[in-house]
Structures are given as C-alpha cells and as structure tokens.
Amino acid sequence: MDTISTNRSHGGTQGVYSHRSAETGTQMTFSVFVPDHAPGAKLPVVWFLSGLTCTHANVTEKGEFRAACAQHGVIFVAPDTSPRGDDVPDDEAYDFGKGAGFYVDATQQPWAANFRMRAYIEKELPALVAAQFPADMARQGITGHSMGGHGALTIALRNPGVFRSVSAFSPIVSPLNCPWGDKALTGYIGADRTVWREYDACALIEDGARLPDLLVDQGTADGFLEGQLKTQILADACEKVGQPATIRMQEGYDHSYYFISTFMADHIAWHSERLKD
C-alpha cells in the first residue's frame, strides 16, 4: 500500500492510499479517515460506496463526514467506483465503463478481466484495511449514494452477518427495473435476467435475504427519482416481507452532494449506535 497524502482534520487523519489490486489487475485508490484513538484500540468501520462518474475523491472532499466520525470514533473508508488505467476498457457514455463499475463481477468481454468490483469490495479491500488500519472488522457498517447505494444494499444483503448497519442515499434500488441497471447488467454480466437478481436489492429481499435494519434518505426533487431510482419499489419490497426499514423522503433535496452532506452526520450517528461494543 502506498500513501498518496495524509492531512490532519477534525481530530483525526484523512489519508488517500493506492495499491495494486489482484482482483481488478490495476492500481486502485481509496481514502480512509481515522479518528484519534487510544493506542491499541480498534474502531468500527463505515464503508461509503460512491455513484456514477465518481471516484474516492467526491465524498472525501464534499461528504462532510469527518466531524461526525471523529465524534463517534468511526473509521470511514471510501473506495473508487471502478478500475482505472489506460489498458482498462471504457465506454463513451457516463453510465458504463470507467466510473461505472456497478459493484459487479463482470463475466462479459472485454470487461471480465478488470471489472471485478464486487470481489474487490467484498474481499480484497477489507483484507487490506484490516491489515493496515486499526479497524474492528466485527463492527462494520456500509452506506453509499446512487449506484453506490445499490452497491451497499446488495453487498450487505449477499453477506449476512458482515454488516451490523446498512444505509443509503438515493440508491438505485432495482437495476432490474431501470435503464441504468438494464444497460450495466446486460453489458457486464449478459442478458440472462435471472443472474441479475443477485445484483438487485429488491430481488434479493424477495428471495429471502434480510438486513438487520435499513435507513434510506431520498430527495423529492431528485431528477432521477421516477425514471431510475424508484424508491417506492424498495419500500414495497420491505413492507411485503417485514424487513425493518426507515425510508425518508426529504422534501426539496436533489441528487447532489449538497443533499448527501446535509444528512451525512445523521447516517454516521445511526451507524455508530449499531456499531457499539
């Protein structure tokens, strides 16, 4: 692991790091905020998965999470959204290719060799974080925004017992039922929609997967709400099977980091309560 930068902030250290990923075959960059803590102490971890077009830098620079993480003693990890590099295949559109990994393990060419963001987030990066930082991996939470909200929900649902707390900001709740999902899943894993179900939060809930609890914030002025995000599908899926969920429609808020940063401290506090010893 190489250190790109470290900065003192809110009684902690904000770092940006890179490493060679065996899963993606590329150099991957991620950020970690570690609050000050007693020597030898292990701290709970909250993962933040970012959305389309983003890197680790978007939430690191605009998410306004550090004060809350310092207050509650929580490590905050922000990975990239896709592999990067001149040899990595790409697409001209913003919603496919670099910056749009959708947290899947691609099976279709030419994407299969590098686009393994599911394995990277579920296995490789957690092992690195556990080895390099004072992280208590028995106390993990996960959240994310938009495409990253989709990633947070599906990763948590597929890995029962790993995450004590799960939340999301304006998530893509059902790739089976939106244009972004249709394009990405067809391109990365093929046309068999039955295979897509493991990458669709609502389908996973319908198929029996459960979360300990769930918090979702969604802006009512989000231009992607009706056509892509379709929050009501998730609300209906949770209600049908009794999945605990607090889904808050925030009046007048859009899809931007102005929205995310407004409610970030709420989410950190919510995770912290569930990540206590």
Side-chain angles (χ1 to χ4, degrees), residues 11 13 19 26 29 41 48 55 113 145-146 162 184 189 198 209 225 233 244 255 257:
T13 300
H19 72 113
T26 66
T29 303
F48 184 95
T55 70
H145 171 234
S146 195
V162 172
I189 61 177
E198 63 184 301
L225 175 56
I233 299 177
H255 200 67
Y257 270 87

Side-chain angles (χ1 to χ4, degrees), residues 153 166-169 171 211-218 231 234-235 238-239 243-250 267 270 274:
L153 294 176
V166 185
S167 74
F169 300 86
L211 300 171
D213 202 353
L214 175 61
L215 172 64
V216 172
D217 275 314
Q218 171 63 59
T231 310
L234 178 63
C238 290
E239 182 178 7
Q243 165 65 54
T246 300
I247 299 176
R248 308 188 300 195
M249 303 302 295
Q250 302 291 1
H267 282 241
W270 188 87
R274 288 155 179 78

Side-chain angles (χ1 to χ4, degrees), residues 148-166:
H150 141 76
L153 294 176
T154 55
I155 288 169
L157 285 161
R158 287 195 307 264
N159 292 276
V162 172
F163 300 98
R164 289 195 193 177
S165 56
V166 185

Side-chain angles (χ1 to χ4, degrees), residues 14 20 38 40 50 99 147 163 167 170 188 222 254:
Q14 177 63 66
R20 184 73 182 179
S50 293
M147 178 186 73
F163 300 98
S167 74
S170 49
Y188 290 136
D222 188 326
D254 59 17

Side-chain angles (χ1 to χ4, degrees), residues 14-229:
Q14 177 63 66
V16 178
Y17 309 92
S18 71
H19 72 113
R20 184 73 182 179
S21 168
E23 290 293 349
T24 69
T26 66
Q27 199 75 7
M28 295 294 291
T29 303
F30 63 100
S31 77
V32 182
F33 176 74
V34 181
D36 289 349
H37 55 281
K42 294 283 189 178
L43 305 181
V45 180
V46 171
W47 295 82
F48 184 95
L49 306 185
S50 293
L52 287 168
T53 76
C54 293
T55 70
H56 71 284
N58 297 76
V59 70
T60 304
E61 297 170 3
K62 298 185 288 186
E64 300 184 22
F65 55 86
R66 278 174 286 271
C69 286
Q71 176 186 350
H72 295 288
V74 173
I75 292 173
F76 191 94
V77 182
D80 202 347
T81 56
S82 78
R84 310 275 177 178
D86 293 340
D87 296 331
V88 174
D90 199 9
D91 188 88
E92 293 181 356
Y94 77 95
D95 56 356
F96 196 71
K98 293 179 187 177
F102 268 83
Y103 305 98
V104 305
D105 282 351
T107 59
Q108 304 300 298
Q109 299 301 329
W111 315 101
N114 303 114
F115 281 74
R116 294 185 50 78
M117 292 302 296
R118 171 181 176 174
Y120 178 71
I121 299 296
E122 289 185 351
K123 299 176 183 177
E124 186 176 18
L125 189 55
L128 181 63
V129 167
Q132 297 289 337
F133 298 94
D136 182 352
M137 304 306 279
R139 294 187 290 156
Q140 294 186 81
I142 191 167
T143 185
H145 171 234
S146 195
M147 178 186 73
H150 141 76
L153 294 176
T154 55
I155 288 169
L157 285 161
R158 287 195 307 264
N159 292 276
V162 172
F163 300 98
R164 289 195 193 177
S165 56
V166 185
S167 74
F169 300 86
S170 49
I172 301 171
V173 304
S174 183
L176 279 159
N177 291 288
C178 74
W180 279 340
D182 187 72
K183 179 178 181 178
L185 297 187
T186 300
Y188 290 136
I189 61 177
D192 183 355
R193 292 172 67 89
T194 61
V195 179
W196 297 13
R197 296 185 70 83
E198 63 184 301
Y199 294 112
D200 185 298
C202 296
L204 286 164
I205 291 169
E206 290 172 3
D207 292 345
R210 295 291 181 268
L211 300 171
D213 202 353
L214 175 61
L215 172 64
V216 172
D217 275 314
Q218 171 63 59
T220 62
D222 188 326
F224 299 115
L225 175 56
E226 297 302 323
Q228 301 281 12
L229 306 176

